[in-house]
Amino acid sequence: MFADDLASSALGIELVEAAEGHAVATMRITETMVNGHGIAHGGYVFLLADTTFACACNSHGPVTVASGAEISFVAAGELGDHLIATATERTRYGRNGIYDVTVHRETPDGPEVVAEFRGRSRTIQKAPQR
């Protein structure tokens, strides 16, 4: 699935770890991702978290899509930040699942959380046609 994700690859998102119910992806904040306030546009941070969530919830095999998601921005991302998103499965029930994603950056004092994301997934019968 990730290999065919042109939106994520166009932004330089790299999948660095994938296991059942878990994924880690990274993205560097570039000049084109910074908004008028000089900080990372929240949409890009959301996209990184959403991509990582998608990799985690699709790790079980059947095609799974987002049924909803929310994000809380904790700190502003900055130009040049190397963001790391870690997705963890919280629960799966029937065709539904809940996943938490923490987006952070490394600092000299250790990891600093940039955003917390919760995604809800739904397994579907087959992949959508392109």
Side-chain angles (χ1 to χ4, degrees):
M1 179 214 66
F2 183 76
D4 292 332
D5 185 345
L6 298 178
S8 296
S9 65
L11 294 176
I13 294 176
E14 295 181 15
L15 180 62
V16 296
E17 187 178 321
E20 197 164 290
H22 174 80
V24 178
T26 64
M27 179 182 76
R28 183 159 312 276
I29 299 298
T30 65
E31 288 181 350
T32 60
M33 297 176 179
V34 175
N35 66 21
H37 295 295
I39 59 176
H41 190 292
Y44 290 108
V45 177
F46 186 98
L47 194 144
L48 172 63
D50 185 53
T51 295
T52 311
F53 156 61
C55 291
C57 69
N58 277 279
S59 65
H60 298 286
V63 174
T64 305
V65 296
S67 64
E70 61 185 47
I71 194 165
S72 296
F73 299 107
V74 178
E78 299 175 6
L79 178 63
D81 278 352
H82 183 248
L83 299 181
I84 302 159
T86 303
T88 304
E89 182 178 280
R90 303 297 300 157
T91 189
R92 284 182 25 205
Y93 52 100
R95 292 173 38 205
N96 303 294
I98 298 173
Y99 294 76
D100 287 336
V101 183
T102 298
V103 179
H104 77 276
R105 66 174 153 238
E106 293 295 332
T107 72
D109 296 326
E112 180 179 9
V113 174
V114 173
E116 293 287 350
F117 171 105
R118 174 157 279 190
R120 296 174 304 281
S121 67
R122 178 82 172 167
T123 299
I124 59 175
Q125 302 298 358
K126 62 180 185 172
Q129 298 298 314
R130 289 193 215 191

